[in-house]
């Protein structure tokens, strides 16, 4: 089944009203996902097995896939690899709360995010929207290619390694804080593990993953109005951190 071909010639046709494949063998969960996303105007296609999902991917130009890892006929991780590396669409992993190792593995295989079971409909809709926005931004060109980047109400000056608030005031950042911000900015609306962040920021190999938590706390103090309920840098329990922004765009 791993060698099943996926039609690479097909391209997603929409972002708004996206074509989403829901791969879930539990009918009740599948129905819930379909109702939530259809209410947002998305076009939902269903598959209860990995084989059916691969067949549908050959016939439907998909914008996004939601994949349950516990499928009856094959390891859902196979679909994650197929959709991300061969077909190039964002994948959200469905996973039980007790399956932390599987969720981490899914992200390492290229999944954009995970949706824990049980989930709140509002969170499902938000995560799907974030993944679609991130992919739309990525397809329009590298986010950080400009000299200055707008991130919601903030301005990030890449060359000067400086952060400015909406009133134009410079917010001093340490070198480590700026590297962290840039790593998150390079992967907007996507969960990054602590290990991944360490690798991207070229932190000394002796540094522990706990240091990422410390830098996130320091950066939040400068970015977040409410440090106890952060909106821009979200914690994804047991997995890592995610930059959640509605607007990320070069302004030069």
């Amino acid at each position: 089944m791993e060698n099943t071909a996926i039609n690479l010639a097909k391209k997603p046709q929409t972002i708004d009203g996206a074509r989403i494949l829901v791969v879930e063998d539990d009918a009740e969960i599948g129905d819930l996902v379909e109702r939530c996303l259809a209410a947002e105007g998305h076009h939902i296609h269903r598959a209860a097995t990995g084989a059916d999902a691969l067949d549908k991917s050959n016939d439907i130009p998909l914008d996004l896939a939601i994949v349950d890892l516990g499928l009856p006929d094959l390891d859902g991780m196979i679909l994650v690899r197929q959709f991300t590396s061969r077909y190039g669409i964002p994948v959200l992993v469905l996973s039980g709360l007790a399956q932390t190792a599987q969720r981490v593995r899914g992200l390492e295989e290229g999944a954009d995010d995970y949706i824990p079971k049980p989930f709140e409909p509002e969170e499902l809709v938000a995560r799907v929207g974030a993944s679609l926005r991130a992919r739309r931004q990525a397809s329009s060109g590298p986010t950080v290619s400009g000299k200055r980047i707008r991130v919601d109400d903030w301005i990030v000056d890449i060359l000067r390694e400086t952060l400015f608030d909406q009133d134009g005031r410079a917010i001093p950042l340490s070198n480590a804080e700026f590297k962290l911000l840039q790593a998150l900015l390079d992967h907007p609306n996507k969960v990054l593990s602590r290990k991944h962040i360490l690798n991207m920021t070229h932190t000394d190999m002796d540094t522990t993953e706990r240091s990422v938590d410390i830098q996130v706390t320091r950066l939040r103090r400068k970015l977040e109005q409410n440090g106890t309920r952060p909106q821009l840098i979200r914690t994804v329990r047991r997995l890592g951190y995610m930059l959640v922004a509605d607007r990320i765009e070069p302004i030069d």
Side-chain angles (χ1 to χ4, degrees), residues 5 24 42-43 48 58 67 74 90 94 96 105-106 123 127 140 146 155 157 160 163 166 172 229 244 250:
E24 171 60 67
H42 299 304
H43 308 289
N58 281 321
V67 177
L74 55 77
L94 282 172
R105 183 183 167 205
E123 183 179 10
R127 289 182 181 275
S140 63
I155 302 296
D157 191 313
R160 295 165 62 186
L163 177 71
Q166 58 185 339
R229 299 187 64 183
V244 179

Side-chain angles (χ1 to χ4, degrees), residues 183 193-205 207-212:
S193 69
R194 292 167 177 82
K195 182 177 180 180
H196 194 177
I197 290 172
L198 285 174
N199 290 337
M200 287 190 297
T201 55
H202 305 291
T203 305
D204 189 279
M205 292 182 64
T207 305
T208 66
E209 294 183 9
R210 174 60 181 159
S211 67
V212 174

Side-chain angles (χ1 to χ4, degrees), residues 15-20 36-44 125 128-129 132:
I15 291 296
D16 298 322
R19 298 178 185 268
I20 299 175
C36 293
L37 298 180
E40 297 295 312
H42 299 304
H43 308 289
I44 308 304
V125 170
V128 167
L132 290 171

Side-chain angles (χ1 to χ4, degrees), residues 215-228:
Q215 293 300 333
V216 167
T217 298
R218 291 173 177 170
L219 185 58
R220 277 176 173 162
R221 289 173 183 164
K222 300 175 180 181
L223 290 174
E224 306 282 2
Q225 292 183 347
N226 186 345
T228 61

Side-chain angles (χ1 to χ4, degrees), residues 48-83:
T49 67
D52 188 23
L54 291 171
D55 287 340
K56 282 186 168 62
S57 68
N58 281 321
D59 300 325
I60 302 168
L62 298 171
D63 294 300
L64 181 142
I66 298 175
V67 177
D68 177 20
L69 295 182
L71 298 173
D73 60 336
L74 55 77
D75 183 353
M77 212 65 68
I78 293 173
L79 295 182
V80 174
R81 288 196 297 268
Q82 292 270 23
F83 289 139

Side-chain angles (χ1 to χ4, degrees), residues 31-231:
D31 289 344
L32 175 59
V33 173
E34 181 172 4
R35 287 197 304 271
C36 293
L37 298 180
E40 297 295 312
H42 299 304
H43 308 289
I44 308 304
H45 304 271
R46 297 275 294 274
T49 67
D52 188 23
L54 291 171
D55 287 340
K56 282 186 168 62
S57 68
N58 281 321
D59 300 325
I60 302 168
L62 298 171
D63 294 300
L64 181 142
I66 298 175
V67 177
D68 177 20
L69 295 182
L71 298 173
D73 60 336
L74 55 77
D75 183 353
M77 212 65 68
I78 293 173
L79 295 182
V80 174
R81 288 196 297 268
Q82 292 270 23
F83 289 139
T84 57
S85 65
R86 298 182 61 187
Y87 195 48
I89 63 172
V91 176
L92 275 64
V93 168
L94 282 172
S95 175
L97 288 175
Q99 299 173 312
T100 303
Q102 283 188 307
R103 298 202 303 269
V104 171
R105 183 183 167 205
L107 293 171
E108 290 176 344
E109 291 287 356
D112 286 50
D113 201 354
Y114 83 94
I115 301 172
K117 296 180 184 178
F119 56 84
E120 294 295 331
E122 294 84 358
E123 183 179 10
L124 168 70
V125 170
R127 289 182 181 275
V128 167
S131 290
L132 290 171
R133 287 196 302 272
R135 187 53 56 101
R136 177 173 53 191
Q137 291 164 354
S139 66
S140 63
T143 302
V144 295
S145 61
K147 296 178 181 179
R148 295 194 301 161
I149 310 298
R150 182 182 302 279
V151 184
D152 287 347
D153 293 330
W154 299 94
I155 302 296
V156 182
D157 191 313
I158 301 299
L159 295 181
R160 295 165 62 186
E161 297 191 356
T162 306
L163 177 71
F164 295 91
D165 66 13
Q166 58 185 339
D167 297 320
R169 292 174 297 193
I171 309 299
L173 298 180
S174 68
N175 181 258
E177 289 167 351
F178 189 84
K179 285 183 176 180
L180 170 62
L181 177 59
Q182 189 164 11
L184 293 167
L185 185 59
D186 285 344
H187 300 81
N189 303 303
K190 183 172 182 178
V191 180
L192 297 179
S193 69
R194 292 167 177 82
K195 182 177 180 180
H196 194 177
I197 290 172
L198 285 174
N199 290 337
M200 287 190 297
T201 55
H202 305 291
T203 305
D204 189 279
M205 292 182 64
D206 293 332
T207 305
T208 66
E209 294 183 9
R210 174 60 181 159
S211 67
V212 174
D213 299 330
I214 295 172
Q215 293 300 333
V216 167
T217 298
R218 291 173 177 170
L219 185 58
R220 277 176 173 162
R221 289 173 183 164
K222 300 175 180 181
L223 290 174
E224 306 282 2
Q225 292 183 347
N226 186 345
T228 61
R229 299 187 64 183
Q231 298 299 309

